[in-house]
Amino acid sequence: MPLLTELKTCFGKFALSVVEWIVAFKRSTERLLPGTWRIKPEGNIALERLIGRFPRYLAAPQGGVVCGEGWYPVVWDLCTAIEALEHLGMPRVAGVHAEERLGGLFLRAASSSFIVTELTREAELKAAATCETCGKPGSLKVGHGFAKTLCSEHGSARQRPRQRRSSSTGLNATPKLIFLDTEFTDLDYPQLISIGLVSDTGERFYAELSNGWSREGCSAFVREHILPQLTAGEFLQERYFAGCRLADWIVEFGGPVRVVTDAPGYDWVLMLDLLEGNLPDNLCPEALAFYCESFPALVPLLQEARQKAFASAPAHHALNDAEALREAWEVMTVNLHPAILDQYLRM
Ligand SMILES: [Zn+2]
């Protein structure tokens, strides 16, 4: 880390601990003042109460609160800290916006102060570990159509049960991501036709199978859109040989490798089937599900990324689809809050 960044981080930490101390002091003096409206309530806080306590920051149009009530205490604490700093002579903050976006709490304070930026960042990290619904400890939960920071109780209502992660194969290190797509005969009785994988650094694997499926078993859609796109040539391989080649390709990465897919029920299952008896030790036992619809606010951006990818390489070809998935993933990662992305990768 360059010296200047390090100094800034050190100073930021020091400043935050001073602010914490000031807020604690302010809290204790609030209790001595007449009226209880200043004091932070225990447990649930009503939105009117929160905005009523800090109208200059949070009331529209200069500010706003659009998030679940589990995060109101985080917003309350942030405003208390900003208020305390103003009392010490910091220029007034014109407004504070608190908004749930992409599973995380986004906080924007109208201030150019370095310490306010640090405070909002700190509060965002705190929210990333707090259930947006009830305020208990929480973490990111992702599924079709939603991505929310929730506690286990509120998350279990929306999420499928989580499998256990193996720790015996050194898979706890940050794995390399490989993006997977397959083409197969039919949704009801899927048999693998082709498989494409692209790593996060651009390495590619592609194979078309010469056996294990038949044209007669293909749905009308597959016959019309998938089969004409098969390239054959050097990619056309006997199924068992293709499985061995894929296993070798994965092993070559050395460290742990994790598959990202938008159709775990098909792509991932068909890939494991292809690898049967040849499963590489460095392959994480669970695929990472990536649904564009998990982050509704990002859907247009992610669709645009995919479309762009398909402009040069048509869809319904396993390798092109895997490449498009990777492009969409990259767009998502630059838009997510780092704390939310970090949790996503640990799912
Ligand atoms: Zn909860």
Side-chain angles (χ1 to χ4, degrees), residues 275-305:
L275 287 170
E276 209 194 340
N278 247 328
L279 209 63
D281 282 342
N282 62 328
L283 180 65
C284 292
E286 245 189 297
L288 188 59
F290 170 42
Y291 309 116
C292 288
E293 312 80 41
S294 293
F295 301 96
L298 280 185
V299 168
L301 269 181
L302 299 185
Q303 277 171 347
E304 191 192 313

mmCIF file of all heavy atoms in Angstrom, residues 275-305:
data_model
loop_
_atom_site.group_PDB
_atom_site.id
_atom_site.type_symbol
_atom_site.label_atom_id
_atom_site.label_comp_id
_atom_site.label_asym_id
_atom_site.label_seq_id
_atom_site.Cartn_x
_atom_site.Cartn_y
_atom_site.Cartn_z
ATOM 1 N N LEU A 275 -18.231 -34.800 -15.887
ATOM 2 C CA LEU A 275 -16.972 -35.018 -15.153
ATOM 3 C C LEU A 275 -17.009 -36.289 -14.307
ATOM 4 O O LEU A 275 -16.053 -36.585 -13.599
ATOM 5 C CB LEU A 275 -16.686 -33.829 -14.230
ATOM 6 C CG LEU A 275 -16.230 -32.535 -14.896
ATOM 7 C CD1 LEU A 275 -16.229 -31.404 -13.881
ATOM 8 C CD2 LEU A 275 -14.844 -32.704 -15.507
ATOM 9 N N GLU A 276 -18.088 -37.010 -14.356
ATOM 10 C CA GLU A 276 -18.278 -38.148 -13.459
ATOM 11 C C GLU A 276 -17.070 -39.077 -13.435
ATOM 12 O O GLU A 276 -16.576 -39.480 -14.489
ATOM 13 C CB GLU A 276 -19.530 -38.930 -13.869
ATOM 14 C CG GLU A 276 -20.152 -39.613 -12.672
ATOM 15 C CD GLU A 276 -21.164 -40.662 -13.082
ATOM 16 O OE1 GLU A 276 -21.644 -40.602 -14.228
ATOM 17 O OE2 GLU A 276 -21.449 -41.530 -12.244
ATOM 18 N N GLY A 277 -16.604 -39.358 -12.201
ATOM 19 C CA GLY A 277 -15.452 -40.228 -12.036
ATOM 20 C C GLY A 277 -14.124 -39.519 -12.260
ATOM 21 O O GLY A 277 -13.065 -40.093 -12.114
ATOM 22 N N ASN A 278 -14.201 -38.223 -12.596
ATOM 23 C CA ASN A 278 -13.016 -37.457 -12.966
ATOM 24 C C ASN A 278 -12.994 -36.104 -12.272
ATOM 25 O O ASN A 278 -12.347 -35.178 -12.742
ATOM 26 C CB ASN A 278 -13.081 -37.183 -14.475
ATOM 27 C CG ASN A 278 -11.976 -37.915 -15.201
ATOM 28 O OD1 ASN A 278 -10.904 -38.092 -14.628
ATOM 29 N ND2 ASN A 278 -12.238 -38.333 -16.419
ATOM 30 N N LEU A 279 -13.757 -35.988 -11.185
ATOM 31 C CA LEU A 279 -13.983 -34.686 -10.562
ATOM 32 C C LEU A 279 -12.672 -34.108 -10.006
ATOM 33 O O LEU A 279 -12.047 -34.712 -9.142
ATOM 34 C CB LEU A 279 -14.996 -34.853 -9.424
ATOM 35 C CG LEU A 279 -15.851 -33.652 -9.100
ATOM 36 C CD1 LEU A 279 -16.733 -33.275 -10.286
ATOM 37 C CD2 LEU A 279 -16.709 -33.927 -7.880
ATOM 38 N N PRO A 280 -12.217 -32.945 -10.509
ATOM 39 C CA PRO A 280 -10.959 -32.378 -10.012
ATOM 40 C C PRO A 280 -11.088 -31.945 -8.542
ATOM 41 O O PRO A 280 -12.128 -31.435 -8.145
ATOM 42 C CB PRO A 280 -10.751 -31.144 -10.904
ATOM 43 C CG PRO A 280 -11.673 -31.309 -12.057
ATOM 44 C CD PRO A 280 -12.813 -32.118 -11.571
ATOM 45 N N ASP A 281 -10.011 -32.161 -7.766
ATOM 46 C CA ASP A 281 -10.019 -31.792 -6.342
ATOM 47 C C ASP A 281 -10.180 -30.293 -6.141
ATOM 48 O O ASP A 281 -10.685 -29.855 -5.122
ATOM 49 C CB ASP A 281 -8.695 -32.226 -5.686
ATOM 50 C CG ASP A 281 -8.695 -33.717 -5.402
ATOM 51 O OD1 ASP A 281 -9.798 -34.307 -5.395
ATOM 52 O OD2 ASP A 281 -7.599 -34.269 -5.207
ATOM 53 N N ASN A 282 -9.694 -29.509 -7.118
ATOM 54 C CA ASN A 282 -9.713 -28.054 -6.918
ATOM 55 C C ASN A 282 -11.021 -27.407 -7.389
ATOM 56 O O ASN A 282 -11.146 -26.194 -7.379
ATOM 57 C CB ASN A 282 -8.519 -27.398 -7.636
ATOM 58 C CG ASN A 282 -8.555 -27.597 -9.137
ATOM 59 O OD1 ASN A 282 -9.036 -28.621 -9.618
ATOM 60 N ND2 ASN A 282 -8.070 -26.616 -9.872
ATOM 61 N N LEU A 283 -12.005 -28.233 -7.768
ATOM 62 C CA LEU A 283 -13.299 -27.677 -8.182
ATOM 63 C C LEU A 283 -14.215 -27.545 -6.966
ATOM 64 O O LEU A 283 -14.464 -28.534 -6.261
ATOM 65 C CB LEU A 283 -13.952 -28.590 -9.222
ATOM 66 C CG LEU A 283 -15.316 -28.142 -9.745
ATOM 67 C CD1 LEU A 283 -15.211 -26.831 -10.513
ATOM 68 C CD2 LEU A 283 -15.952 -29.222 -10.625
ATOM 69 N N CYS A 284 -14.670 -26.320 -6.666
ATOM 70 C CA CYS A 284 -15.562 -26.108 -5.522
ATOM 71 C C CYS A 284 -16.830 -26.944 -5.700
ATOM 72 O O CYS A 284 -17.384 -27.009 -6.799
ATOM 73 C CB CYS A 284 -15.947 -24.632 -5.397
ATOM 74 S SG CYS A 284 -14.573 -23.594 -4.947
ATOM 75 N N PRO A 285 -17.280 -27.575 -4.594
ATOM 76 C CA PRO A 285 -18.414 -28.492 -4.705
ATOM 77 C C PRO A 285 -19.755 -27.796 -4.972
ATOM 78 O O PRO A 285 -20.744 -28.469 -5.224
ATOM 79 C CB PRO A 285 -18.440 -29.188 -3.341
ATOM 80 C CG PRO A 285 -17.702 -28.294 -2.434
ATOM 81 C CD PRO A 285 -16.711 -27.538 -3.250
ATOM 82 N N GLU A 286 -19.752 -26.479 -4.903
ATOM 83 C CA GLU A 286 -21.007 -25.766 -5.122
ATOM 84 C C GLU A 286 -20.796 -24.692 -6.170
ATOM 85 O O GLU A 286 -19.825 -23.944 -6.093
ATOM 86 C CB GLU A 286 -21.389 -25.044 -3.826
ATOM 87 C CG GLU A 286 -22.638 -25.526 -3.171
ATOM 88 C CD GLU A 286 -23.006 -24.590 -2.043
ATOM 89 O OE1 GLU A 286 -22.222 -24.473 -1.084
ATOM 90 O OE2 GLU A 286 -24.051 -23.947 -2.148
ATOM 91 N N ALA A 287 -21.703 -24.596 -7.115
ATOM 92 C CA ALA A 287 -21.602 -23.518 -8.103
ATOM 93 C C ALA A 287 -22.175 -22.237 -7.508
ATOM 94 O O ALA A 287 -22.967 -22.275 -6.573
ATOM 95 C CB ALA A 287 -22.368 -23.889 -9.361
ATOM 96 N N LEU A 288 -21.730 -21.118 -8.047
ATOM 97 C CA LEU A 288 -22.244 -19.827 -7.614
ATOM 98 C C LEU A 288 -23.346 -19.425 -8.596
ATOM 99 O O LEU A 288 -23.097 -19.290 -9.791
ATOM 100 C CB LEU A 288 -21.104 -18.809 -7.632
ATOM 101 C CG LEU A 288 -21.356 -17.424 -7.037
ATOM 102 C CD1 LEU A 288 -21.755 -17.527 -5.572
ATOM 103 C CD2 LEU A 288 -20.109 -16.571 -7.165
ATOM 104 N N ALA A 289 -24.558 -19.278 -8.064
ATOM 105 C CA ALA A 289 -25.674 -18.910 -8.933
ATOM 106 C C ALA A 289 -25.645 -17.409 -9.201
ATOM 107 O O ALA A 289 -25.465 -16.613 -8.287
ATOM 108 C CB ALA A 289 -26.991 -19.301 -8.276
ATOM 109 N N PHE A 290 -25.772 -17.055 -10.459
ATOM 110 C CA PHE A 290 -25.777 -15.638 -10.830
ATOM 111 C C PHE A 290 -26.993 -15.388 -11.716
ATOM 112 O O PHE A 290 -27.008 -15.773 -12.875
ATOM 113 C CB PHE A 290 -24.475 -15.295 -11.569
ATOM 114 C CG PHE A 290 -24.466 -13.939 -12.213
ATOM 115 C CD1 PHE A 290 -24.987 -12.826 -11.552
ATOM 116 C CD2 PHE A 290 -23.931 -13.747 -13.480
ATOM 117 C CE1 PHE A 290 -24.980 -11.575 -12.145
ATOM 118 C CE2 PHE A 290 -23.915 -12.502 -14.081
ATOM 119 C CZ PHE A 290 -24.446 -11.409 -13.405
ATOM 120 N N TYR A 291 -28.004 -14.783 -11.117
ATOM 121 C CA TYR A 291 -29.204 -14.452 -11.883
ATOM 122 C C TYR A 291 -29.223 -12.951 -12.111
ATOM 123 O O TYR A 291 -29.153 -12.180 -11.156
ATOM 124 C CB TYR A 291 -30.464 -14.839 -11.109
ATOM 125 C CG TYR A 291 -30.470 -16.253 -10.589
ATOM 126 C CD1 TYR A 291 -30.483 -16.508 -9.222
ATOM 127 C CD2 TYR A 291 -30.467 -17.329 -11.458
ATOM 128 C CE1 TYR A 291 -30.493 -17.807 -8.732
ATOM 129 C CE2 TYR A 291 -30.471 -18.624 -10.973
ATOM 130 C CZ TYR A 291 -30.490 -18.855 -9.611
ATOM 131 O OH TYR A 291 -30.491 -20.136 -9.133
ATOM 132 N N CYS A 292 -29.300 -12.540 -13.350
ATOM 133 C CA CYS A 292 -29.355 -11.102 -13.635
ATOM 134 C C CYS A 292 -30.510 -10.447 -12.892
ATOM 135 O O CYS A 292 -30.436 -9.293 -12.482
ATOM 136 C CB CYS A 292 -29.521 -10.870 -15.127
ATOM 137 S SG CYS A 292 -28.030 -11.236 -16.049
ATOM 138 N N GLU A 293 -31.583 -11.220 -12.672
ATOM 139 C CA GLU A 293 -32.783 -10.627 -12.079
ATOM 140 C C GLU A 293 -32.646 -10.436 -10.570
ATOM 141 O O GLU A 293 -33.536 -9.875 -9.938
ATOM 142 C CB GLU A 293 -34.018 -11.488 -12.350
ATOM 143 C CG GLU A 293 -34.194 -11.942 -13.782
ATOM 144 C CD GLU A 293 -33.319 -13.140 -14.125
ATOM 145 O OE1 GLU A 293 -33.199 -14.053 -13.293
ATOM 146 O OE2 GLU A 293 -32.742 -13.157 -15.222
ATOM 147 N N SER A 294 -31.542 -10.930 -9.976
ATOM 148 C CA SER A 294 -31.389 -10.760 -8.529
ATOM 149 C C SER A 294 -31.311 -9.294 -8.157
ATOM 150 O O SER A 294 -31.701 -8.881 -7.076
ATOM 151 C CB SER A 294 -30.117 -11.461 -8.046
ATOM 152 O OG SER A 294 -30.247 -12.846 -8.193
ATOM 153 N N PHE A 295 -30.744 -8.500 -9.057
ATOM 154 C CA PHE A 295 -30.579 -7.079 -8.768
ATOM 155 C C PHE A 295 -31.435 -6.302 -9.770
ATOM 156 O O PHE A 295 -30.932 -5.877 -10.812
ATOM 157 C CB PHE A 295 -29.114 -6.680 -8.892
ATOM 158 C CG PHE A 295 -28.212 -7.450 -7.972
ATOM 159 C CD1 PHE A 295 -27.534 -8.564 -8.419
ATOM 160 C CD2 PHE A 295 -28.053 -7.066 -6.651
ATOM 161 C CE1 PHE A 295 -26.712 -9.279 -7.569
ATOM 162 C CE2 PHE A 295 -27.234 -7.780 -5.793
ATOM 163 C CZ PHE A 295 -26.568 -8.889 -6.259
ATOM 164 N N PRO A 296 -32.726 -6.147 -9.465
ATOM 165 C CA PRO A 296 -33.623 -5.530 -10.451
ATOM 166 C C PRO A 296 -33.097 -4.208 -10.992
ATOM 167 O O PRO A 296 -33.239 -3.919 -12.184
ATOM 168 C CB PRO A 296 -34.914 -5.327 -9.660
ATOM 169 C CG PRO A 296 -34.881 -6.414 -8.626
ATOM 170 C CD PRO A 296 -33.429 -6.561 -8.240
ATOM 171 N N ALA A 297 -32.417 -3.431 -10.137
ATOM 172 C CA ALA A 297 -31.937 -2.128 -10.594
ATOM 173 C C ALA A 297 -30.843 -2.256 -11.652
ATOM 174 O O ALA A 297 -30.572 -1.322 -12.397
ATOM 175 C CB ALA A 297 -31.420 -1.319 -9.409
ATOM 176 N N LEU A 298 -30.212 -3.431 -11.719
ATOM 177 C CA LEU A 298 -29.100 -3.607 -12.664
ATOM 178 C C LEU A 298 -29.510 -4.305 -13.954
ATOM 179 O O LEU A 298 -28.715 -4.411 -14.883
ATOM 180 C CB LEU A 298 -27.987 -4.434 -12.011
ATOM 181 C CG LEU A 298 -27.040 -3.714 -11.067
ATOM 182 C CD1 LEU A 298 -25.948 -4.672 -10.625
ATOM 183 C CD2 LEU A 298 -26.413 -2.506 -11.736
ATOM 184 N N VAL A 299 -30.765 -4.792 -13.998
ATOM 185 C CA VAL A 299 -31.185 -5.602 -15.149
ATOM 186 C C VAL A 299 -30.900 -4.921 -16.491
ATOM 187 O O VAL A 299 -30.300 -5.543 -17.377
ATOM 188 C CB VAL A 299 -32.667 -6.024 -15.013
ATOM 189 C CG1 VAL A 299 -33.192 -6.605 -16.312
ATOM 190 C CG2 VAL A 299 -32.803 -7.070 -13.905
ATOM 191 N N PRO A 300 -31.267 -3.632 -16.666
ATOM 192 C CA PRO A 300 -30.985 -3.010 -17.970
ATOM 193 C C PRO A 300 -29.498 -3.002 -18.308
ATOM 194 O O PRO A 300 -29.116 -3.306 -19.441
ATOM 195 C CB PRO A 300 -31.500 -1.575 -17.802
ATOM 196 C CG PRO A 300 -32.446 -1.623 -16.646
ATOM 197 C CD PRO A 300 -31.969 -2.720 -15.752
ATOM 198 N N LEU A 301 -28.659 -2.709 -17.327
ATOM 199 C CA LEU A 301 -27.206 -2.677 -17.556
ATOM 200 C C LEU A 301 -26.668 -4.052 -17.924
ATOM 201 O O LEU A 301 -25.840 -4.197 -18.829
ATOM 202 C CB LEU A 301 -26.497 -2.208 -16.281
ATOM 203 C CG LEU A 301 -26.236 -0.721 -16.111
ATOM 204 C CD1 LEU A 301 -25.500 -0.476 -14.803
ATOM 205 C CD2 LEU A 301 -25.391 -0.221 -17.275
ATOM 206 N N LEU A 302 -27.139 -5.076 -17.204
ATOM 207 C CA LEU A 302 -26.653 -6.433 -17.442
ATOM 208 C C LEU A 302 -27.131 -6.939 -18.800
ATOM 209 O O LEU A 302 -26.393 -7.621 -19.523
ATOM 210 C CB LEU A 302 -27.119 -7.374 -16.325
ATOM 211 C CG LEU A 302 -26.632 -7.024 -14.917
ATOM 212 C CD1 LEU A 302 -27.053 -8.086 -13.911
ATOM 213 C CD2 LEU A 302 -25.123 -6.870 -14.868
ATOM 214 N N GLN A 303 -28.374 -6.583 -19.133
ATOM 215 C CA GLN A 303 -28.892 -6.994 -20.446
ATOM 216 C C GLN A 303 -28.094 -6.330 -21.557
ATOM 217 O O GLN A 303 -27.758 -6.961 -22.559
ATOM 218 C CB GLN A 303 -30.375 -6.641 -20.562
ATOM 219 C CG GLN A 303 -31.245 -7.709 -19.920
ATOM 220 C CD GLN A 303 -32.698 -7.302 -19.828
ATOM 221 O OE1 GLN A 303 -33.026 -6.137 -20.025
ATOM 222 N NE2 GLN A 303 -33.546 -8.264 -19.506
ATOM 223 N N GLU A 304 -27.767 -5.064 -21.331
ATOM 224 C CA GLU A 304 -26.969 -4.334 -22.326
ATOM 225 C C GLU A 304 -25.611 -5.015 -22.521
ATOM 226 O O GLU A 304 -25.136 -5.185 -23.641
ATOM 227 C CB GLU A 304 -26.794 -2.890 -21.852
ATOM 228 C CG GLU A 304 -26.225 -1.967 -22.907
ATOM 229 C CD GLU A 304 -25.800 -0.638 -22.291
ATOM 230 O OE1 GLU A 304 -26.582 -0.067 -21.514
ATOM 231 O OE2 GLU A 304 -24.686 -0.200 -22.592
ATOM 232 N N ALA A 305 -24.997 -5.416 -21.387
ATOM 233 C CA ALA A 305 -23.684 -6.080 -21.455
ATOM 234 C C ALA A 305 -23.781 -7.362 -22.264
ATOM 235 O O ALA A 305 -22.904 -7.671 -23.080
ATOM 236 C CB ALA A 305 -23.177 -6.368 -20.045
#
